[in-house]
Amino acid sequence: MLHCTHPETAHHILTYAQRLQGGGVERAMLRMAAGWLRQGRRVTLVLGSREGPLAAEIPDGIDLIELGDPRYQALFRLAGEVRRVRPDILFCPGNRYTGVTALARLRLGRTSPPIVGKVSNALVRPELSPGAAWRYRQWLKLHPRFLDHVVAMTPAMAAEAIAEMGMPAARVSVIANPPAATIAGAAPVTLPDGRYLIGVGRLEPQKRWDRLLSALPRLVDQQVKLLLLGEGGARAELEAQVAALGLGDRVTMPGHAGDPLPALKGAAVAVLTSDYEGVPGVLREALSVGTPVVSTESSVAVREIVHAPELGTVIDREDAEGLVAALDHWLRADAVRPAPVAVSGDPIAEYLALFDRLVGEK
């Protein structure tokens, strides 16, 4: 194992990301890094590039290594950075980065510190073609070879990791993401006049915002607006859909929001229409401020979050009629908003306890 200043604890944690474009994986990673720093740990963050709106959320006191290349392949140099800075533990913030993690483990060999990977996206992907789904399953079965431990954000996601990765149950923990908090100094979001629906997430095909746009002209309330917060490669297609549906006066897409909580709190309904998710943080954030949610069943975790009918409605991914009906239900004048749902536990302390145990066992 690499030399550690404090061999009995994970004094030095290294984590990594491609860039900071505003995804939930990177935002949660920055929240956790800030919490670890507050607890007196040293945290190194390796970035392909710090470009992106989340750069403003990089916590003070972090050791930042910027590789100067926003491409995913830039992180293939991770093993060299690990050898140079000698962390006690590596934290992979999401399963979109496990290819990088596997290569780093291969190159580091016996000198690798323990590696903990978080499950950030669904491990069962029904939207994939049969061939792609088979290849994905084979890739997942390799994860126990290079991950020492897996963190899932809910019990159902932990069960999915055990089943799909073949990860022994003793090497899987359930730890939630740190709760969102209002960010001081974040630019305020201009809210629509009157009632509005809100979607928060990257403008990427996975999120299937086209489903929500298609539902909007079919709602009983033809005055309700849509605020879509996020940025990504599908913006042009979504803007074209807005124009084709004549929704220019009802849909606003202002881009990434540094602090979406105030906009979530003011919304009539928070909507998620994804094909697949891990544990969608936006659902928890909306419920934390008392806003009901409508979500596709894009993850086994969705029904764990929306566990009672007074919190919201879960629909099948391709149920266009169900989406319209659910939105109409929550937009009724007599709809009762849920009481705010508090987040329990201390994810920062739980992660550090796990890291310390793994370092002590190495």
Side-chain angles (χ1 to χ4, degrees):
M1 178 179 164
L2 296 175
H3 173 72
C4 299
T5 306
H6 297 260
E8 299 305 320
T9 64
H11 173 71
H12 182 189
I13 304 160
L14 187 147
T15 188
Y16 35 98
Q18 180 184 0
R19 51 185 180 168
L20 300 176
Q21 287 300 107
V25 168
E26 291 76 18
R27 170 164 265 162
M29 174 197 66
L30 293 174
R31 286 182 194 152
M32 286 188 279
W36 299 333
L37 288 164
R38 287 195 298 271
Q39 294 301 313
R41 306 301 174 100
R42 177 185 172 192
V43 181
T44 294
L45 172 59
V46 178
L47 292 175
S49 169
R50 66 182 296 163
E51 69 179 43
L54 287 181
E57 298 180 29
I58 296 175
D60 293 336
I62 204 165
D63 295 341
L64 182 63
I65 298 172
E66 187 176 5
L67 301 176
D69 185 343
R71 297 176 301 169
Y72 182 85
Q73 293 89 328
L75 291 177
F76 292 169
R77 293 151 53 186
L78 181 65
E81 299 301 331
V82 172
R83 291 193 184 98
R84 185 172 66 84
V85 303
R86 300 187 173 190
D88 299 312
I89 202 153
L90 301 187
F91 175 64
C92 173
N95 42 313
R96 64 170 291 193
Y97 291 117
T98 53
V100 166
T101 311
L103 182 59
R105 170 70 83 167
L106 180 65
R107 290 176 172 172
L108 291 167
R110 293 182 178 273
T111 67
S112 176
I115 302 178
V116 175
K118 190 183 82 172
V119 178
S120 61
N121 254 329
L123 303 180
V124 176
R125 300 275 300 277
E127 85 287 354
L128 295 177
S129 68
W134 181 87
R135 290 190 293 273
Y136 185 54
R137 289 194 298 270
Q138 302 315 301
W139 164 238
L140 291 176
K141 295 295 185 185
L142 296 176
H143 282 55
R145 300 187 184 186
F146 59 86
L147 294 179
D148 294 285
H149 205 88
V150 164
V151 172
M153 289 177 275
T154 71
M157 288 299 292
E160 192 168 89
I162 293 167
E164 300 302 319
M165 291 181 173
M167 189 71 69
R171 291 166 58 189
V172 179
S173 295
V174 177
I175 305 176
N177 274 340
T182 299
I183 300 172
V189 176
T190 301
L191 303 181
D193 295 329
R195 292 204 303 171
Y196 63 93
L197 310 173
I198 188 170
V200 180
R202 294 173 296 117
L203 306 185
E204 298 293 347
Q206 167 195 348
K207 300 295 184 178
R208 291 302 306 270
W209 296 122
D210 60 295
R211 291 173 173 150
L212 180 52
L213 292 175
S214 294
L216 201 58
R218 303 175 58 199
L219 299 179
V220 171
D221 184 351
Q222 286 293 293
Q223 302 303 312
V224 70
K225 295 181 171 62
L226 169 62
L227 176 62
L228 196 52
L229 299 178
E231 195 52 81
R235 172 175 282 277
E237 290 86 347
L238 295 173
E239 289 177 338
Q241 185 181 6
V242 168
L245 293 172
L247 297 173
D249 60 342
R250 294 177 64 190
V251 178
T252 307
M253 295 192 292
H256 172 79
D259 181 7
L261 277 181
L264 282 165
K265 186 175 183 178
V269 190
V271 192
L272 187 70
T273 49
S274 301
D275 271 337
Y276 62 93
E277 291 282 347
V279 177
V282 66
L283 298 183
R284 282 183 163 154
E285 291 173 8
L287 292 172
S288 76
V289 293
T291 298
V293 299
V294 170
S295 175
T296 51
E297 195 155 17
S298 48
S299 160
V300 292
V302 169
R303 289 191 184 272
E304 290 181 293
I305 298 170
V306 192
H307 56 79
E310 60 265 26
L311 300 178
T313 306
V314 181
I315 59 170
D316 291 339
R317 290 181 303 127
E318 299 296 346
D319 187 0
E321 298 295 332
L323 176 59
V324 172
L327 292 173
D328 280 339
H329 167 79
W330 288 104
L331 288 170
R332 282 172 19 197
D334 60 350
V336 179
R337 292 172 71 87
V341 178
V343 178
S344 60
D346 186 348
I348 297 301
E350 292 170 34
Y351 263 107
L352 292 179
L354 171 64
F355 292 168
D356 290 347
R357 176 169 68 81
L358 293 174
V359 170
E361 293 173 353
K362 185 71 174 180

